[in-house]
Amino acid sequence: DLSELLLNDVAVPGESYDRIAGRSIDPQSDGQKAFSGSWLFNLAKGDIARAPDISFLRALAVGLNLPFAVVQRAAAVQFLLYEATELSGYGDDVRIIVAHLAGMPEEEVRRVRRMVEVYDQKA
């Protein structure tokens, strides 16, 4: 869920809620900061009861350096009790990889596919 994404990102050395908030700007806005580090801290603790709006989610995706689809899905799981059925049976790593691929240009997707196929042949 969204709180877990924050907890995992802040577990990375050098990250803090304030640093994430400082980077979190909705690419479709006028460049204003979307929220504070203390608000992110409350979200990470699970103390935010209402789902953030779409602008917040776009900004948070930028701040966490994750595809928007990953952040959107995490918010849906946490706030709407959404049960994802796509890619069921796969772990979070696979879903995140697929979400990254979904945001890439087609040529990049083909390049990654070739890399995976070469890796699989060597294994």
Side-chain angles (χ1 to χ4, degrees):
D1 63 23
L2 199 53
S3 293
E4 285 182 30
L5 282 180
L6 285 168
L7 291 172
N8 290 337
D9 201 65
V10 173
V12 175
E15 283 300 335
S16 71
Y17 296 112
D18 287 331
R19 287 177 64 114
I20 294 168
R23 292 192 307 262
S24 297
I25 297 171
D26 178 0
Q28 296 181 16
S29 76
D30 58 4
Q32 292 183 347
K33 198 166 96 166
F35 41 80
S36 67
S38 61
W39 194 91
L40 284 178
F41 176 73
N42 288 330
L43 177 61
K45 289 190 327 182
D47 289 345
I48 303 296
R50 202 173 73 175
D53 67 20
I54 196 77
S55 177
F56 167 91
L57 296 177
R58 284 192 301 257
L60 185 57
V62 170
L64 293 174
N65 196 29
L66 290 171
F68 172 70
V70 171
V71 174
Q72 182 182 36
R73 179 184 176 279
V77 168
Q78 182 167 340
F79 293 102
L80 303 174
L81 304 177
Y82 173 72
E83 193 73 31
T85 56
E86 75 279 1
L87 296 174
S88 61
Y90 295 99
D92 284 341
D93 288 338
V94 171
R95 284 192 289 271
I96 289 172
I97 290 167
V98 170
H100 277 284
L101 290 171
M104 290 181 179
E106 189 58 35
E107 179 56 36
E108 287 293 308
V109 172
R110 285 193 294 272
R111 188 174 67 81
V112 171
R113 178 181 175 175
R114 288 190 301 269
M115 289 182 345
V116 170
E117 289 169 344
V118 167
Y119 177 83
D120 189 45
Q121 290 171 357
K122 289 182 181 180

